[in-house]
Amino acid sequence: MKKSKKLLSVLLILVMMGALFLTACGGEQGGDGKDEDVTTIGFIYIGSKTDGGYTQAQHLGTTAVEDYFGEKVKILTAENIEEEKTTVKTAAVNMISEGASIIVGTSYGFMDALEECAQEYPEVTFLHFSGNKMNDTNFGNYFGAMEEPRYLSGIIAGLKTETNKLGYVAAFPYTEVLIGINAFALGAQSVNPDVEVSVVYINSWNDPANEKIAAESLLAQGCDVIAQHCDSAGPQIAAEEKGVWAVGYNLDSRDAAPGAFLTAPIWHHDKYLVPTIEKVIGGTYVPESYYGTMQDGYVDLAEMSDLVPEEAKTKVEEIAQQMKDGTFKVFSGEIKDNQGNVVVAEGESLDRAGIWQIEYLVEGVTGRDN
Amino acid sequence: MGGFFAAVIIAGTPLLFATIGELLTQKAGNMNLGVEGLMMMGAVCGFIAGFKTGNAGLALLGAIAAGAVGSLIYAFLTITLRANQQVTGLTLTMFGVGFAKFAGTNVMGSVLPASVKAFFTKIEIPLLSKIPYIGEIFFSQDVFVYFGYIIVLLAYLYLNKTKNGLNLRAVGENAPAADASGISVNLYKYIHVIIGGALCGLGGAYLSLVTIPVWQENVVAGRGWIAVALVIFASWKPGKAMVGAFVFGGLSILGFRLQSMGIQVSQYLIDMLPYVATVIIVIISTRKNRKEDMPPGWLTLPYFREDR
């Protein structure tokens, strides 16, 4: 009797754990994937495909690849993969053993694992989102000039605000985030010199409730447009409840808070993935460090809602056109940081390398820069 | 300033429900580390029920049912089968978090119907809400928050003033003695573990129904663990649990307020404060060594009637 109870308890625990694994590894798998004409592509995600933000935007790119190549590709996905070397390598090796010849990793922390895999599997091509490592044969990276659409969203916020106070909910203070805050502030200041931006960091990528509460604290200080560099619609919901406005991120999330949504800087990962995968399949891929811009269509601004004033729409379309023509630089001098130091001199502008050295917040922004 | 304290209540309410739930569970001698998972299950089931039916009452029932079923698994494993409580609780957390992600896939990003949202809008209680400061903070909230106050009061009265409550404490303090005096130990354990789980489910549902009425993964984000710490902080007393939940809720949002006012404090430091507070409380209470501040004597121990 006692033994059977013990067995039952072990079984129940196993069932619970099994359910967890099912949800964690519920990728589209099956088939041997060794078909000559079919290229198997593995996508490794840090979150789940339906997270409503970062990974969902990535997965939109993946489905676009699937739609474009149709029968010629087989897509494998692994969700909720932690940024831990062994975990990432295991996911990649599993996919390779399923026949994958292209592995796409979509989080910065996958970098070292992918680098090692690229050495161990020279016949497989590795594409890494947001990383800065690559090699000459089978390991490249890609990212986007999110500062461009963020600048445009800043223009809208600058013209929409009535209090001249903008709020910005961000995850962590590091270069990518600082670039975005600065671009947003510069865009707003370009149309409204009196505007101030307050930043609140929540120290998490994954806490929707705190994202909302952080936005509420900004609203309490009189901010009437909330922008964000975090992944949930929390800040937009907070703005809607207060009867003011919000700029989203990652995806067009207007349904979450239709009463507040102005626009969102968004990713079009397919604009990189489709042509690049085509090259890999055709054997002409040479590793590169891709940096997609408005010009490439890789980053963009979601369709502006009816809450955006006409004046702002016109201005945004004007600057967006200049960006698409390649004549507009977001970080053009003179720019001072919020300590009063000149960081970009008059007549100069930052290129990609210069932008990615930003460790400051520009004048008119209140918040930490480290 | 009143606005800040009103926000503290909202941040503290999910913790309050989960803490009272875990407190009842522990009073029955069971340490359930599955709070995080139960909160996630409550959050997702409450949301789905509210989303599909547009009825706030059914949303709450969904959350209660999810928490109850989740804790029933735990109860069966730890009470009937006498599995290790900590391990089972941890597994329940993993299960609950995974279950919520899985179950929430189809409603990801969906918005709760207006009828549900309207039920949880702020209601000012006549007279009480007119009290300066206090009224604005405590009595201009949503019904869910008021329900939380009632739960604390009921838990206090139950544990201190009723025969059943005292029986429950006896079960937690010394299961064999309780058994000898004719109390059905397993029945008490089952009932309170399940009620505790239902309260945890409600705590999670507060996040998905009121705080963020749009389904997002990981809405609970570690609050279940804070609730476990809060039970220790509160030294197993409902009143203190309420104070603790609001203090911890306040600490969790203090950093944002300071940042938005332009006062730059490291968020890491602020995030640490609730845990530092718990450590200090534990040190103080062990130093004082007062019997009434100690955990239930039979906590985490399985009860074998044959071993008497």
Side-chain angles (χ1 to χ4, degrees):
Chain A
M1 183 62 199
K2 215 175 166 189
K3 218 171 200 175
S4 69
K5 276 186 177 177
K6 219 173 205 173
L7 196 69
L8 188 54
S9 70
V10 168
L11 270 175
L12 272 170
I13 289 182
L14 282 177
V15 167
M16 289 206 283
M17 294 185 76
L20 173 78
F21 278 111
L22 278 179
T23 58
C25 323
E28 293 139 33
Q29 282 166 5
D32 61 356
K34 299 278 193 231
D35 199 326
E36 282 298 313
D37 300 331
V38 176
T39 308
T40 304
I41 310 169
F43 288 84
I44 306 177
Y45 298 140
I46 188 165
S48 71
K49 292 176 217 172
T50 53
D51 68 352
Y54 184 84
T55 300
Q56 192 167 335
Q58 300 280 1
H59 191 63
L60 283 175
T62 308
T63 46
V65 168
E66 204 167 12
D67 292 344
Y68 181 83
F69 292 101
E71 299 281 292
K72 288 194 284 178
V73 296
K74 195 180 119 190
I75 305 286
L76 306 175
T77 57
E79 300 172 79
N80 298 315
I81 302 298
E82 272 178 56
E83 287 185 324
E84 196 268 318
K85 213 170 178 178
T86 334
T87 317
V88 180
K89 276 189 87 169
T90 310
V93 170
N94 279 342
M95 287 171 162
I96 293 166
S97 69
E98 290 256 330
S101 58
I102 303 172
I103 300 283
V104 184
T106 61
S107 189
Y108 180 81
F110 296 172
M111 186 159 62
D112 291 347
L114 294 180
E115 188 189 28
E116 281 185 19
C117 287
Q119 278 176 6
E120 289 166 30
Y121 297 90
E123 72 288 359
V124 178
T125 305
F126 294 85
L127 306 174
H128 182 213
F129 176 75
S130 77
N132 50 25
K133 287 186 181 172
M134 58 187 286
N135 67 18
D136 297 333
T137 51
N138 67 335
F139 182 32
N141 61 54
Y142 63 106
F143 203 66
M146 201 33 101
E147 56 274 15
E148 294 184 347
R150 282 206 189 275
Y151 184 93
L152 298 176
S153 70
I155 294 176
I156 297 170
L159 290 172
K160 185 74 185 176
T161 178
E162 289 162 8
T163 60
N164 287 338
K165 284 182 172 176
L166 308 179
Y168 201 106
V169 181
F172 292 94
Y174 70 103
T175 297
E176 182 193 342
V177 172
L178 299 178
I179 294 170
I181 297 168
N182 289 339
F184 176 78
L186 292 173
Q189 288 162 0
S190 73
V191 291
N192 181 351
D194 298 330
V195 85
E196 284 177 15
V197 180
S198 303
V199 185
V200 170
Y201 297 102
I202 45 174
N203 270 21
S204 165
W205 279 115
N206 211 353
D207 192 337
N210 270 357
E211 288 171 15
K212 185 186 175 213
I213 292 167
E216 282 168 347
S217 69
L218 287 162
L219 293 167
Q221 298 300 314
C223 297
D224 64 354
V225 180
I226 303 290
Q228 64 180 86
H229 196 147
C230 53
D231 292 342
S232 88
Q236 296 154 50
I237 295 163
E240 187 177 48
E241 285 178 6
K242 191 84 190 290
V244 295
W245 308 286
V247 173
Y249 178 49
N250 282 321
L251 298 165
D252 189 333
S253 55
R254 70 189 66 219
D255 297 340
F261 184 85
L262 297 172
T263 184
I266 56 173
W267 301 94
H268 286 298
H269 295 294
D270 52 313
K271 291 284 192 285
Y272 167 77
L273 291 171
V274 169
T276 306
I277 287 171
E278 195 147 48
K279 278 190 226 165
V280 177
I281 294 173
T284 59
Y285 175 73
V286 180
E288 56 175 340
S289 181
Y290 174 89
Y291 198 58
T293 57
M294 288 279 292
Q295 198 174 13
D296 307 321
Y298 181 69
V299 291
D300 202 356
L301 201 60
E303 192 194 329
M304 290 177 270
S305 77
D306 295 339
L307 299 168
V308 176
E310 281 307 317
E311 185 196 358
K313 281 189 183 170
T314 319
K315 183 76 183 163
V316 165
E317 277 155 20
E318 180 197 329
I319 304 291
Q321 194 53 51
Q322 291 179 24
M323 286 174 175
K324 285 174 186 163
D325 295 340
T327 57
F328 189 90
K329 298 264 184 260
V330 170
F331 291 93
S332 296
E334 186 192 63
I335 300 173
K336 284 183 181 167
D337 69 12
N338 62 3
Q339 312 294 318
N341 309 311
V342 176
V343 284
V344 183
E346 184 70 47
E348 287 181 17
S349 60
L350 297 181
D351 57 2
R352 179 183 174 186
I355 289 172
W356 282 86
Q357 280 165 11
I358 285 179
E359 296 285 346
Y360 52 82
L361 289 168
V362 297
E363 203 169 24
V365 181
T366 318
R368 280 183 302 122
D369 56 13
N370 57 50
Chain B
M1 234 21 219
F4 172 69
F5 287 110
V8 166
I9 303 293
I10 292 170
T13 295
L15 298 176
L16 179 63
F17 277 93
T19 308
I20 298 292
E22 177 66 8
L23 192 150
L24 281 179
T25 307
Q26 294 199 8
K27 278 287 181 191
N30 277 56
M31 166 96 82
N32 188 350
L33 296 181
V35 183
E36 178 84 5
L38 292 171
M39 288 179 80
M40 283 299 289
M41 291 169 79
V44 75
C45 292
F47 185 90
I48 292 174
F51 179 69
K52 299 281 185 207
T53 65
N55 184 321
L58 290 178
L60 293 176
L61 272 181
I64 290 172
V69 170
S71 54
L72 178 64
I73 304 175
Y74 168 88
F76 181 68
L77 283 165
T78 57
I79 301 168
T80 302
L81 304 180
R82 302 188 188 94
N84 180 296
Q85 294 183 5
Q86 281 96 331
V87 174
T88 312
L90 289 173
T91 323
L92 184 61
T93 284
M94 292 190 235
F95 171 73
V97 172
F99 171 82
K101 283 192 175 182
F102 183 68
T105 311
N106 292 328
V107 292
M108 187 68 222
S110 303
V111 186
L112 274 186
S115 54
V116 181
K117 281 204 237 175
F119 186 79
F120 296 116
T121 49
K122 299 207 181 322
I123 298 167
E124 294 189 356
I125 296 186
L127 296 175
L128 286 175
S129 65
K130 297 286 178 283
I131 307 171
Y133 294 108
I134 309 275
E136 185 194 351
I137 296 165
F138 289 98
F139 301 112
S140 307
Q141 300 283 7
D142 54 82
V143 282
F144 215 139
V145 172
Y146 300 141
F147 186 46
Y149 302 159
I150 295 171
I151 290 287
V152 174
L153 186 66
L154 289 179
Y156 171 80
L157 293 175
Y158 180 71
L159 287 173
N160 294 294
K161 307 287 176 197
T162 68
K163 183 167 165 255
N164 288 342
L166 294 173
N167 284 351
L168 169 69
R169 287 166 63 179
V171 169
E173 288 299 339
N174 193 327
D179 195 10
S181 67
I183 301 168
S184 170
V185 171
N186 281 4
L187 183 67
Y188 267 84
K189 278 177 176 276
Y190 260 98
I191 288 174
H192 294 92
V193 167
I194 289 170
I195 292 175
L199 288 173
C200 293
L202 278 175
Y206 187 83
L207 290 162
S208 67
L209 296 177
V210 186
T211 315
I212 304 239
V214 175
W215 178 249
Q216 306 271 349
E217 274 181 2
N218 208 28
V219 277
V220 178
R223 288 176 181 78
W225 298 110
I226 297 192
V228 175
L230 262 171
V231 174
I232 303 165
F233 180 94
S235 48
W236 294 267
K237 292 182 182 61
K240 277 194 188 175
M242 183 163 167
V243 174
F246 292 145
V247 168
F248 278 41
L251 288 174
S252 73
I253 66 169
L254 177 65
F256 304 151
R257 289 282 156 159
L258 293 176
Q259 286 187 55
S260 62
M261 294 191 316
I263 303 166
Q264 305 307 327
V265 203
S266 171
Q267 184 65 26
Y268 293 109
L269 200 72
I270 304 274
D271 287 348
M272 200 174 71
L273 290 178
Y275 303 100
V276 173
T278 307
V279 171
I280 292 172
I281 294 281
V282 170
I283 292 171
I284 292 174
S285 66
T286 24
R287 292 283 295 177
K288 275 197 192 156
N289 213 6
R290 279 166 51 193
K291 199 159 184 302
E292 58 267 34
D293 287 342
M294 289 295 121
W298 216 256
L299 187 61
T300 77
L301 299 176
Y303 174 57
F304 293 89
R305 184 173 229 181
E306 295 83 358
D307 289 355
R308 236 177 327 162

